[in-house]
Amino acid sequence: MQGAVDGQVGRIAMRIAADDPGELTGESKVYERLLPLAGARVLELGCGKAEHTRGIARRHPDTQIVALEVDEVQLAENLAGPQLPNLRFGRGGAQAIDHPDGSFDVVMMFKSLHHVPGAVLDQAMDEIARVTKPGGLVYVSEPIFAGAYNEVIRVFHDEQKVRQAAFDAVAGAVGRGRFELVSQTFFRSPVVFEDFADFERKMIGATHTIHRLTDAQYREVRERFAAHVAKAGAPRFEAPMRVDLLRRPE
């Protein structure tokens, strides 16, 4: 679902969430539909395991991609793994991008803007605008603070404030004229785990954030996870997502 209430910007009202959560789909279908990736110069910020960027690099061999990550552990794994000729990994955060003005046709952030420290979010949006060419596009996907999956995660990692701050930073950058809002897209992303051990390894043990759960928190997380599995019949969730598609003015 595309649409654009939580902050009026130009002729489009930006929403942090939507009444209709949209279709259940993999995110690759969303950005392949929204972005002109073939032959583009692409920057991904906060690439994590770089699953999306690797997929883009394989599907579009004529696209040149730079993928940056601040997590040293994950960056080392990315550099040690199989390399693709059109994908280059590096260290860097959104608030300080070591590339010249107008270097990229497309900048992408997958669930990473809310990890940028709040004090430098506006600086990050300005940096993203700087390295995006005039007329270039910025794709920002962010999880919406709602749903069964969120109810499990927030027991030990409540992201409501940082997700709100990320949304405010995007709306603020549009309000300042750094970007034009092209569209918003709302969809549900499937999140699948083999079992609780798989969830614990991937989510509680994530290297980008140190999680120290109390015994009570750990029990509650297990109970909420188990209750959802019992209801759904499998350790599968649907995470509501929002994509803000921005354009740097000509």
Side-chain angles (χ1 to χ4, degrees):
M1 172 188 175
Q2 292 192 22
V5 221
D6 301 340
Q8 185 73 33
V9 179
R11 297 181 179 180
I12 304 176
M14 293 189 70
R15 295 175 183 263
I16 194 170
D19 295 334
D20 179 355
E23 65 177 327
L24 177 64
T25 184
E27 188 159 1
S28 62
K29 292 183 179 180
V30 178
Y31 57 73
E32 290 285 353
R33 183 173 69 239
L34 292 176
L35 297 172
L37 293 170
R41 297 165 298 164
V42 176
L43 171 66
E44 184 186 355
L45 295 166
C47 67
K49 295 181 180 180
E51 293 162 332
H52 288 298
T53 30
R54 290 184 191 277
I56 293 169
R58 292 188 181 100
R59 288 190 297 272
H60 303 283
D62 57 345
T63 296
Q64 297 299 313
I65 307 171
V66 175
L68 301 182
E69 177 56 59
V70 296
D71 178 359
E72 296 283 6
V73 174
Q74 186 59 63
L75 176 58
E77 291 182 5
N78 291 342
L79 291 170
Q83 303 298 301
L84 296 166
N86 57 336
L87 171 57
R88 179 162 56 92
F89 292 107
R91 189 184 189 284
Q95 67 270 29
I97 304 170
D98 189 19
H99 287 272
D101 296 1
S103 294
F104 300 99
D105 303 298
V106 175
V107 178
M108 310 181 81
M109 297 187 79
F110 298 101
K111 297 184 288 188
S112 58
L113 183 60
H114 67 274
H115 290 292
V116 176
V120 294
L121 270 170
D122 289 342
Q123 178 182 329
M125 295 305 300
D126 288 343
E127 271 288 273
I128 293 168
R130 181 185 66 77
V131 300
T132 305
K133 76 171 188 180
L137 296 174
V138 175
Y139 175 104
V140 181
S141 73
E142 281 286 303
I144 292 170
F145 195 77
Y149 182 58
N150 186 74
E151 288 303 299
V152 176
I153 295 291
R154 75 180 185 91
V155 173
F156 62 94
H157 192 62
D158 191 326
E159 292 187 332
Q160 184 171 19
K161 290 182 179 180
V162 293
R163 294 184 194 178
Q164 180 68 54
F167 173 80
D168 291 343
V170 173
V174 175
R176 298 197 311 274
R178 300 296 281 158
F179 295 103
E180 301 164 345
L181 178 64
V182 177
S183 66
Q184 291 190 296
T185 301
F186 298 92
F187 68 99
R188 293 168 295 138
S189 177
V191 184
V192 181
F193 300 98
E194 295 177 5
D195 49 27
F196 183 77
D198 187 35
F199 170 86
E200 184 174 11
R201 182 175 61 256
K202 292 177 179 177
M203 305 310 300
I204 299 177
T207 59
H208 58 72
T209 305
I210 298 174
H211 296 123
R212 294 188 175 92
L213 280 66
T214 65
D215 291 343
Q217 285 177 313
Y218 187 80
R219 286 194 301 271
E220 185 173 357
V221 170
R222 285 195 66 111
E223 289 169 2
R224 292 191 182 195
F225 186 92
H228 179 81
V229 171
K231 181 184 295 185
R236 176 188 179 101
F237 298 85
E238 296 178 4
M241 298 288 298
R242 181 190 72 254
V243 172
D244 300 321
L245 184 63
L246 314 174
R247 180 187 293 115
R248 182 182 170 186
E250 298 279 0

